[in-house]
């Protein structure tokens, strides 16, 4: 066995048995503060409980959607679908 084979064996054994990947921890230093704050805000928004909007008739909904489509407006449509805990599901 040559010195190169011994070195390869040692390296392979190290990565198989001893090396521990730090995962996300090693990349935390690369995040900018504004990126971190936006991730925090997004987490807060995701954990917020959605309030139920008032129900409207199908004709009213169609009129609103037609108007929004013609004028390039954003529309929030909320379906009455709940999870196991009774919270509305966002889609």
């Amino acid at each position: 066995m040559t010195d190169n084979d011994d070195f390869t064996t040692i390296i392979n054994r190290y990565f198989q048995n001893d090396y521990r990947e730090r995962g996300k921890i090693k990349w935390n230093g690369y995040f900018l503060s504004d990126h971190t704050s936006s991730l925090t805000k997004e987490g807060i928004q995701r954990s917020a409980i959605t309030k139920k909007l008032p129900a409207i008739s199908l004709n009213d909904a169609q009129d609103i959607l037609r108007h929004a489509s013609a004028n390039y407006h954003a529309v929030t449509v909320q379906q009455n679908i709940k999870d196991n805990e009774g919270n509305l599901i966002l889609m």
Side-chain angles (χ1 to χ4, degrees):
M1 213 175 200
T2 65
D3 289 340
N4 194 21
D5 291 336
D6 291 338
F7 180 73
T8 303
T9 303
I10 291 170
I11 294 298
N12 287 336
R13 191 174 300 136
Y14 171 74
F15 281 108
Q16 289 173 354
N17 302 318
D18 300 326
Y19 179 71
R20 300 290 178 253
E21 173 62 45
R22 295 181 298 152
K24 182 181 175 244
I25 294 170
K26 73 178 180 182
W27 298 105
N28 280 343
Y30 291 104
F31 287 122
L32 298 174
S33 61
D34 57 339
H35 184 245
T36 305
S37 65
S38 68
L39 288 175
T40 303
K41 287 178 186 176
E42 183 180 323
I44 291 170
Q45 288 175 349
R46 286 182 184 218
S47 65
I49 296 175
T50 305
K51 294 180 183 177
K52 186 174 181 179
L53 298 173
I56 59 174
S57 69
L58 180 60
N59 289 336
D60 289 343
Q62 289 173 337
D63 289 341
I64 292 169
L65 290 172
R66 239 182 258 113
H67 180 269
S69 177
N71 296 301
Y72 302 100
H73 291 231
V75 177
T76 299
V77 177
Q78 186 181 66
Q79 296 180 351
N80 193 15
I81 301 173
K82 297 181 181 179
D83 61 9
N84 295 338
E85 297 172 359
N87 297 323
L88 291 171
I89 296 176
L90 297 175
M91 295 187 173

